[in-house]
Amino acid sequence: MTKAEEQVMHQLWSLGAAFLREIVDSFEEPKPHQNTIATILKTLHNKGFVEIESVGRNHFYKPTISKSGYSKQFIKGLVKDYYKGSFRELVSFFAKEKEISIKELEDILQQLKK
């Protein structure tokens, strides 16, 4: 997903399912134009991320993938494309960049042991 598509999906995930007006209203000011959001939703539908149900003259939008499902897919792709498919390489990168502390690594190890 593009950054704009992700922003719309985050709004839709937080709403669960919604009409276009509800999605636009969920954005902070300055709100994006309704036509922009409608175009992004159509693109998300074409990519298989959003289901569209016609209700009279309006469309009702539902995500076809959960936020956690997408996150899992995204992280796996990131690791594959940038870290040779190795989660170890990913963690090593963050350790080298001092983006993760020893304490955080120890906490992760404790969680994995459980």
Side-chain angles (χ1 to χ4, degrees):
M1 279 187 230
T2 66
K3 184 173 173 116
E5 291 167 352
E6 282 185 353
Q7 288 174 338
V8 171
M9 284 301 294
H10 281 287
Q11 299 306 114
L12 192 53
W13 283 321
S14 69
L15 294 167
F19 289 100
L20 176 61
R21 173 68 20 220
E22 294 170 319
I23 297 168
V24 172
D25 288 346
S26 71
F27 279 89
E28 292 183 14
E29 294 291 344
K31 296 186 185 304
H33 194 276
Q34 189 168 319
N35 290 346
T36 302
I37 301 303
T39 300
I40 292 170
L41 286 164
K42 183 177 180 182
T43 301
L44 287 165
H45 172 71
N46 291 340
K47 290 181 175 183
F49 292 114
V50 172
E51 180 181 302
I52 301 173
E53 181 183 322
S54 292
V55 180
R57 296 180 65 204
N58 297 310
H59 290 107
F60 191 66
Y61 299 92
K62 297 181 206 175
T64 59
I65 187 169
S66 67
K67 185 176 181 179
S68 63
Y70 178 73
S71 296
K72 183 178 178 180
Q73 196 176 41
F74 177 82
I75 296 297
K76 281 185 174 181
L78 177 76
V79 170
K80 179 179 171 250
D81 294 343
Y82 293 95
Y83 299 98
K84 304 173 195 162
S86 169
F87 282 91
R88 182 174 172 262
E89 292 272 337
L90 172 73
V91 174
S92 292
F93 169 80
F94 283 108
K96 287 177 191 169
E97 295 294 316
K98 296 182 172 65
E99 296 291 333
I100 191 167
S101 70
I102 298 295
K103 172 74 172 114
E104 289 171 314
L105 287 170
E106 289 171 351
D107 290 345
I108 292 168
L109 285 172
Q110 288 302 318
Q111 287 179 353
L112 289 172
K113 287 178 182 177
K114 291 179 184 178

